[in-house]
Amino acid sequence: MKRLFIEYNPYFVRVALAEDGELVEFGVEHVAARSHVGNIYKGKVENVVGGMKAAFVNIGLERNGFLYIGDDDENAEKVSAGDIVMCQVVKEQMGTKGARLSRDISIAGYALVLLPGGGFRGVSRKIENDEGRARLEQLVSAACPQEMGFIVRSAAVKASDEEILAELEGLIAIWRRVEADFRKAAPGGVVFREAQLVERTIRDNFAEEVDKIVVDDEVLAKRLSARMRGVEVEYYSGQRNIFRNFGLSAQIDKLADRKVTIEGGAYLVIDRTEALTVIDVNTGRFVGGKDLEDTVFRTNIAAADEVARQLRMRNISGIVIVDFIDMQSDEHRKAVVERLREDLKRDRLKTSAVSMTGLGLVELTRKRTRLSADTFMLDPCDSCEGGFVTSAVHIALKVREELADYSLENSARSIIARVHPCVTDSVFRYGIMAREAAELWRGRRVYLIPDPSLPRDGLEIVCSDEKVLTLPPEARLVY
């Protein structure tokens, strides 16, 4: 069974897609760091660099966006410094690089993607029935304005003709508002915001035949129930965190680990650099079967499965180099690469793998749009150059879960937790415990005491029934 779990909070949202209880995709977004991918801006060209075939466009973010302007004079976009352009973010800004921009605007819905500038009309290749493809293309073509294009998404097979045409009408209306807002907006202003994480995730996974959606917010559950067809929506009203209750918290925590154990004690080591991600395969304690070549082959086959899974779960993208254990047999090399390619077919994002080198290296490229999970789960280490530690935000979420469970097991009037100062800062900056404060901890007092002597992920919890507490001045009341 494929289930989508949604943890909803006014300050942040986390979503997890699981198949038979195993995590396959994870995403997190908080208000202070909302994604820009899909947003449409009224940009101002700051400068054009002919040698890079690029224009750098001010769209109101920290860094100017990068707009590719073409390889040759015939297809090159004619832009000059000072020009005002409508552009859409297609790749999130990462590290020192600004957002990747495009002037080919698209507006996505559940069943359709509208291409206001025209140029293409077609149906997703995932719809394999030729008769069905032709019918859907004809249906939408008859109603779509001639100057516009569209892509019929695979989710359209679950929708009625009326629903598809209603969505088309809605997308066209959105585009008309974008045009009007663009005329009125100041340079650098946003004229369209892409849907938030919940809407995007449901929209993008609706076609993936999700059997059930479980959400911990009653209002959102009712809204989704009214919208979704053929998918059960369940409101989770339990007091434990939704991910912990359904056995996903431990799996999510492992996404921040550098080392990933696979079959029989073999393991992967995942290292991220600014340019690419390197995944190293190691046999570890795995002893295999009859001979060394068999052991290595079986390890590499298991590693191929896990590499594909980790790419999807962590949303690792861009260039990825996988260092498999060296094999002597050409047949085994081909089998491992073929296994990897088959595994990658389950990924919604386009991923390609080239053949294996004589040294056991396989280069992958995975479409990069949004930030990877470890962008939220890891912070640069202050003590070394290039290393990473578990992020303060992720630790704060774990502390929240521990405090929630502790409060369910203890009826004391007050709960006092000592944590590292970075955790206290994250809790109050992002409203991480707002839900528990309003519901689970009503009528009780919960305090955080920042303690720099604790390790970054340290946590010490005590409780008290005293009416008057003696606490250090730096103690902060959560509720």
Side-chain angles (χ1 to χ4, degrees):
M1 174 180 269
K2 185 179 290 188
R3 294 187 291 179
L4 185 65
F5 297 91
I6 303 173
E7 179 190 16
Y8 185 81
N9 182 293
Y11 299 93
F12 67 91
V13 178
R14 295 196 298 172
V15 296
L17 183 65
E19 295 179 2
D20 298 323
E22 292 293 320
L23 182 70
V24 293
E25 288 189 33
F26 176 70
V28 57
E29 191 170 275
H30 49 78
V31 172
R34 183 176 173 180
S35 172
H36 303 99
V37 174
N39 288 358
I40 302 173
Y41 293 86
K42 185 172 184 175
K44 181 179 180 180
V45 178
E46 295 293 337
N47 61 308
V48 177
V49 182
M52 296 177 63
K53 297 182 174 57
F56 291 89
V57 184
N58 180 357
I59 56 173
L61 303 182
E62 307 90 76
R63 290 178 290 278
N64 290 337
F66 173 91
L67 178 66
Y68 181 67
I69 57 176
D71 280 322
D72 53 61
D73 292 339
E74 182 180 347
N75 296 316
E77 294 185 37
K78 306 299 183 182
V79 295
S80 304
D83 286 356
I84 301 298
V85 296
M86 181 185 290
C87 50
Q88 187 170 35
V89 175
V90 294
K91 184 187 294 185
E92 194 66 82
Q93 55 184 8
M94 300 179 186
T96 59
K97 298 178 181 178
R100 179 73 178 262
L101 308 176
S102 173
R103 296 182 73 180
D104 295 325
I105 306 298
S106 64
I107 302 175
Y110 284 78
L112 302 169
V113 177
L114 182 68
L115 308 174
F120 181 81
R121 292 187 170 199
V123 180
S124 169
R125 292 189 182 93
K126 291 184 179 180
I127 301 177
E128 298 178 351
N129 182 278
D130 292 338
E131 184 177 340
R133 288 171 59 88
R135 189 190 68 79
L136 286 168
E137 184 170 359
Q138 184 177 6
L139 172 72
V140 181
S141 288
C144 186
Q146 289 299 314
E147 72 275 12
M148 298 184 183
F150 61 81
I151 299 170
V152 179
R153 307 184 74 176
S154 54
V157 298
K158 297 181 179 180
S160 66
D161 289 359
E162 292 76 13
E163 288 171 326
I164 293 172
L165 295 178
E167 180 171 272
L168 175 62
E169 184 178 342
L171 294 175
I172 293 171
I174 290 173
W175 170 243
R176 299 305 183 201
R177 289 198 298 272
V178 169
E179 290 182 303
D181 291 343
F182 181 81
R183 289 191 291 268
K184 296 182 292 185
V190 59
V191 295
F192 171 80
R193 291 191 184 278
E194 170 64 296
Q196 295 186 16
L197 184 63
V198 169
E199 300 291 334
R200 290 200 318 265
T201 303
I202 293 173
R203 183 187 70 201
D204 294 342
N205 283 291
F206 187 43
E208 300 295 323
E209 298 182 354
V210 172
D211 301 295
K212 190 175 186 179
I213 298 174
V214 185
V215 57
D216 65 356
D217 182 83
E218 187 173 14
V219 174
L220 179 60
K222 289 179 179 178
R223 193 173 89 220
L224 295 178
S225 294
R227 174 179 293 179
M228 307 300 292
R229 290 190 62 206
V231 178
E232 179 186 356
V233 178
E234 175 187 325
Y235 165 51
Y236 169 69
S237 59
Q239 292 183 305
R240 295 189 81 204
N241 175 266
I242 185 171
F243 292 150
R244 181 164 288 205
N245 184 72
F246 288 97
L248 296 174
S249 284
Q251 296 182 59
I252 291 170
D253 288 344
K254 290 180 179 179
L255 298 183
D257 292 346
R258 179 172 175 259
K259 182 176 177 180
V260 179
T261 302
I262 51 178
E263 180 182 302
Y267 62 91
L268 309 178
V269 176
I270 304 175
D271 284 317
R272 186 185 78 186
T273 72
E274 186 171 349
L276 50 81
T277 300
V278 178
I279 303 178
D280 186 32
V281 182
N282 296 272
T283 54
R285 299 188 308 274
F286 184 59
V287 294
K290 54 187 178 182
D291 56 34
L292 178 60
E293 178 70 12
D294 177 68
T295 297
V296 170
F297 176 61
R298 289 177 57 190
T299 301
N300 282 338
I301 286 290
D305 294 340
E306 190 61 34
V307 165
R309 182 168 174 264
Q310 291 295 325
L311 291 178
R312 190 176 174 192
M313 280 197 304
R314 300 181 184 223
N315 194 27
I316 297 172
S317 51
I319 300 173
V320 181
I321 303 297
V322 185
D323 185 5
F324 287 100
I325 305 168
D326 187 31
M327 294 173 288
Q328 301 301 314
S329 166
D330 287 339
E331 182 180 346
H332 284 171
R333 291 195 190 100
K334 292 176 182 178
V336 169
V337 174
E338 185 57 35
R339 180 67 164 258
L340 181 58
R341 287 174 176 157
E342 284 298 312
D343 290 336
L344 293 174
K345 289 180 181 179
R346 303 190 190 111
D347 198 338
R348 287 187 295 107
L349 293 184
K350 183 179 179 181
T351 308
S352 61
V354 300
S355 59
M356 183 179 290
T357 70
L359 296 176
L361 302 178
V362 174
E363 179 184 327
L364 305 174
T365 57
R366 186 171 186 266
K367 184 178 180 181
R368 172 177 283 171
T369 54
R370 304 182 192 280
L371 299 175
S372 61
D374 62 18
T375 303
F376 300 96
M377 301 180 73
L378 299 177
D379 286 337
C381 178
D382 294 331
S383 302
C384 63
E385 295 183 6
F388 296 91
V389 293
T390 305
S391 73
V393 171
H394 186 64
I395 296 171
L397 290 169
K398 293 175 65 176
V399 168
R400 180 200 57 172
E401 293 180 14
E402 294 291 343
L403 283 173
D405 281 1
Y406 186 89
S407 67
L408 290 172
E409 298 166 1
N410 296 273
S411 59
R413 184 192 301 265
S414 300
I415 299 174
I416 304 102
R418 289 185 175 273
V419 296
H420 191 274
C422 71
V423 176
T424 308
D425 292 342
S426 292
V427 166
F428 290 96
R429 181 181 304 169
Y430 302 118
I432 283 176
M433 298 185 185
R435 184 190 187 95
E436 287 72 19
E439 299 174 4
L440 179 60
W441 296 331
R442 183 173 296 168
R444 307 170 77 177
R445 294 174 295 178
V446 178
Y447 293 90
L448 293 183
I449 301 175
D451 186 345
S453 68
L454 287 177
R456 188 179 178 87
D457 59 352
L459 173 64
E460 297 176 0
I461 306 175
V462 296
C463 60
S464 173
D465 278 321
E466 298 296 326
K467 292 184 178 180
V468 178
L469 298 175
T470 302
L471 299 173
E474 62 269 20
R476 300 186 66 177
L477 180 65
V478 177
Y479 183 81

